[in-house]
Amino acid sequence: MMFKKLFSFASAIAVLATGAHCQQLSYEDSITALAYGNVATNSSSVGEVWLNITGFAADKLPHIQNDVGIYTLDNRETLTTIAGLAQVAAQQGQWGDIVFLYSAFAMNGHSEYFNASSLEMQQALLYAVTDQTRGEVDSTLIKLYASTSSSEYLTEAFENLKSDTSSQSKRWVKEACSSAHKATKSACRTLLENVKGNVTWKSGGPRSICKSGCCISWSANATFQVQNLTNAANYCLNACGTSSVSCEVWGVKLQGTLVDQCLSNRATGCT
């Protein structure tokens, strides 16, 4: 299968993992390959790369208005390609593509996060449609990004955010990141994979759930489904630190009971 060459840097994008040899991809095919996670990326190039977003339409990208620069130790060529794709997306008004590419770039173009259905990318897409001041998910943005995505996989990922808006909306008093008792984010993502969608009922003590080196704990006995811990924990993962996290959120509602909820490397101390 041959692909139309739209820009000179397209060859830097990874080949389709199922392909027999290198093929240059069109813009649309590049987005599809990335969103499907069906690529193998360069992992040996070092250097500084910027994705310049300043000046892009503020009404279309209200929560993405800051340039991102990365000094990468392993992925310069892939990041350069992503930045180039984002420029093409801006020229074409493909706002959903920009959100996706911006998110992939910010995560160092790490190939395991490319897939639009990965936990890391789902969190990043959700963050891009959420007003962090009010903790509200903007359904209008979800619709806009779904309709301006070049890949059906990406469109589906945005549309799937709609079904989660009632449970994902942030409803608490305040939150704070801490420098003490930090857990590695990789361990916390593993924990969240087990919590998200877990409909098991929890009541009384112990007031903690841990996996690997990460724990979610809460300040008072409550009766709730475990999946209700996801929203505040996701916020902490997105808002605190780069590779590690320690965070407390006050006033989390666990199916009627208000508690303080923590994400850290220990099962105690959330008060």
Side-chain angles (χ1 to χ4, degrees), residues 41-113:
T41 57
N42 182 292
S43 60
S44 60
S45 51
V46 179
E48 179 180 305
V49 187
W50 283 84
L51 194 162
N52 298 313
I53 209 83
T54 302
F56 286 5
D59 60 328
K60 308 297 185 183
L61 302 165
H63 309 310
I64 298 179
Q65 285 295 305
N66 297 317
D67 297 339
V68 179
I70 295 177
Y71 185 83
T72 180
L73 298 178
D74 62 358
N75 220 11
R76 180 179 58 82
E77 290 183 10
T78 299
L79 291 177
T80 299
T81 297
I82 292 173
L85 288 168
Q87 294 297 317
V88 176
Q91 294 169 7
Q92 298 181 357
Q94 295 298 115
W95 310 113
D97 292 351
I98 291 176
V99 169
F100 168 67
L101 293 166
Y102 182 93
S103 301
F105 185 95
M107 295 187 285
N108 193 40
H110 186 53
S111 59
E112 292 183 11
Y113 301 159

Side-chain angles (χ1 to χ4, degrees), residues 212-227:
S212 187
C214 185
C215 296
I216 297 173
S217 57
W218 51 99
S219 62
N221 289 341
T223 299
F224 61 94
Q225 289 175 292
V226 172
Q227 64 183 1

